Amino acid sequence: MEITRRAAFVTAGGLAAVGMAACSNAAPGPGVGGVPRSGGASTAGSGGAVPAAGAAPSAGAGPTPPGPGRAAVTIVGHRGACGYRPEHTVESYSLAARFGADAVDVDLCSTRDGHLVARHEPEIGGTTDVAAHTEFAARRTTKVIDSVPTTGWFTVDFTLAELKTLHAVERIPATRPHNTLYDGRDEILTFDEVLDLLDDLSRGRGRRVGILPEVKHATFHSSIGLPIEPTLVDTLRRRGLADDPQVIIQSFETADLRALRTQLGCPLLQLVDVAGVAPADLVAAGDRRTYDDLVNPAGLREIASYATWIGPTKERVITPTGTPTSLAADARAAGLKTMPFTFRNENEFLPPTLRRGEQPGQAPQAAPRSTYGDAFAEYAQYRALGVEGLFSDNSDTAIAAWS
């Protein structure tokens, strides 16, 4: 995304209510995959009735049945609401919940002492203020992750206590200068802290807020003796979520999802990167298949043997020229749901024909990088295809597009 990554929920065949871990002691709510979101765009401050302080959402709490013509879709706040706040922070997750996102996705990386933290990548030079901490200057190094040399500071070289001295910053400040206002306000969160936060948000909104934990770079973490999966499994078991249909686990690799299928009852989502790229576990095993092979009909049937969803990069579903591919239909035929990633409002993330403030033939930077394009037109294309879910940096826009 621009290492590419993401996923979502369904009732039949794997997913019930979009729901949050910390609410698992409440009776299961209605399924988001089967009951579309309520009509009308959600806004910050909107939501269901707020229960008594400390009470978990009731079994009846959940999306309102849609109005006529409403399409069902699961909208996942990509790293929270990172179109408006630095990603993977309390403010980002909280804003996504207030907008009405059905769930948030959480990228998980390991610390040196084996804790799981919410970071987009193990390299944190671009998402924290670590470069300003002179005490950590010597930690800057180069590591090879998924065959790509990367220079910076890495979570695996820090203890959790050390990471807690850092603060989050905006990852793409040139595109989202408004987000830099919030630089330095939020600390790095552990997986448990995210689960606790979503518990509080679920209570406060009077509805359940789901979670999609992503195992980041499984082969890399395992190769250095810091595998993510055992701690993920232990955390879910400890919190009573090992078989929770409301927790969807995602990965760009395949072997870890296959193994997790034998250890947990949670639905799984196979992320699918861009053309020509291969899953790191297949590369390490000498398997010459790429993601292209995973999304042909035979590959999709194989994925369906262990996963409920695929999460492809959105260009695999509709090309940048606006031509739909057969992927969504092929996935449905294999028994899989499709949740493309990542939808964003800014010009540079939209097809050229949907950018605003530019003239034909001009570079994307001809308009200010923060300029919004016609995101609604893009959403309309995917809605017409009937995708079952999507990842969005701007979940309020996505909700409005389906309302």
Side-chain angles (χ1 to χ4, degrees):
M1 320 208 43
E2 81 153 56
I3 300 180
T4 40
R5 329 216 161 215
R6 294 317 142 245
F9 301 176
V10 63
T11 43
L15 264 198
V18 176
M20 189 35 237
C23 298
S24 62
N25 53 358
V32 169
V35 181
R37 66 175 55 257
S38 59
S42 297
T43 57
S46 67
V50 178
S58 69
T64 302
R70 274 292 289 113
V73 69
T74 297
I75 292 173
V76 176
H78 186 231
R79 308 174 201 160
C82 63
Y84 310 104
R85 299 291 188 274
E87 62 193 36
H88 292 313
T89 60
V90 168
E91 294 194 20
S92 186
Y93 294 134
S94 299
L95 188 57
R98 295 202 300 275
F99 281 151
D102 297 306
V104 298
D105 90 298
V106 182
D107 299 330
L108 297 177
C109 298
S110 181
T111 67
R112 189 174 71 193
D113 46 352
H115 295 276
L116 298 184
V117 290
R119 287 292 90 193
H120 168 50
E121 293 290 323
E123 200 289 304
I124 55 173
T127 60
T128 74
D129 60 359
V130 64
H133 285 251
T134 56
E135 69 272 26
F136 298 135
R139 304 277 179 94
R140 191 171 188 268
T141 187
T142 299
K143 298 183 187 294
V144 177
I145 301 178
D146 296 356
S147 304
V148 178
T150 304
T151 299
W153 291 263
F154 297 83
T155 61
V156 294
D157 294 330
F158 290 77
T159 65
L160 178 59
E162 290 172 331
L163 286 178
K164 283 294 188 179
T165 68
L166 308 180
H167 290 84
V169 301
E170 172 54 38
R171 184 175 58 85
I172 47 175
T175 301
R176 294 172 175 167
H178 50 282
N179 284 10
T180 63
L181 172 66
Y182 301 94
D183 285 356
R185 289 176 56 86
D186 284 272
E187 66 177 25
I188 310 306
L189 297 174
T190 66
F191 184 36
D192 265 310
E193 287 170 338
V194 175
L195 293 174
D196 289 340
L197 172 63
L198 293 181
D199 182 17
D200 291 340
L201 291 169
S202 295
R203 292 191 179 104
R205 307 314 302 163
R207 66 175 182 87
R208 307 187 76 180
V209 181
I211 186 168
L212 283 75
E214 181 185 341
V215 178
K216 301 294 292 194
H217 302 292
T219 296
F220 165 75
H221 278 101
S222 294
S223 72
I224 59 174
L226 292 170
I228 290 174
E229 296 85 352
T231 306
L232 172 62
V233 170
D234 288 347
T235 301
L236 295 179
R237 287 176 176 170
R238 170 168 48 81
R239 299 182 72 110
L241 302 170
D243 300 298
D244 198 319
Q246 304 161 8
V247 177
I248 302 177
I249 301 171
Q250 48 177 334
S251 177
F252 274 92
E253 302 189 29
T254 65
D256 58 333
L257 288 181
R258 292 177 185 276
L260 286 168
R261 177 177 170 82
T262 69
Q263 301 172 62
L264 298 169
C266 302
L268 305 178
L269 180 142
Q270 179 66 66
L271 294 165
V272 179
D273 215 327
V274 296
V277 177
D281 61 305
L282 298 188
V283 174
D287 189 325
R288 299 179 65 85
R289 287 179 297 164
T290 69
Y291 287 107
D292 298 342
D293 299 301
L294 268 59
V295 295
N296 64 33
L300 290 169
R301 288 193 296 272
E302 183 176 345
I303 291 173
S305 70
Y306 60 87
T308 302
W309 289 82
I310 58 165
T313 178
K314 63 183 181 180
E315 294 79 9
R316 283 190 177 273
V317 179
I318 297 178
T319 69
T321 61
T323 303
T325 71
S326 65
L327 180 55
D330 291 344
R332 208 168 288 125
L336 292 164
K337 305 288 184 178
T338 301
M339 174 174 276
F341 68 89
T342 303
F343 291 83
R344 299 174 167 109
N345 288 354
E346 294 90 358
N347 272 345
E348 64 185 284
F349 305 116
L350 290 166
T353 57
L354 299 182
R355 295 170 184 164
R356 289 176 168 168
E358 299 177 9
Q359 297 299 318
Q362 288 183 322
Q365 289 73 27
R369 295 188 67 170
S370 58
T371 302
Y372 279 10
D374 192 355
F376 285 112
E378 181 180 48
Y379 283 122
Q381 294 174 328
Y382 290 83
R383 177 172 176 171
L385 278 186
V387 296
E388 292 86 358
L390 60 90
F391 291 92
S392 178
D393 285 8
N394 309 85
S395 48
D396 57 332
T397 308
I399 290 167
W402 254 265
S403 298

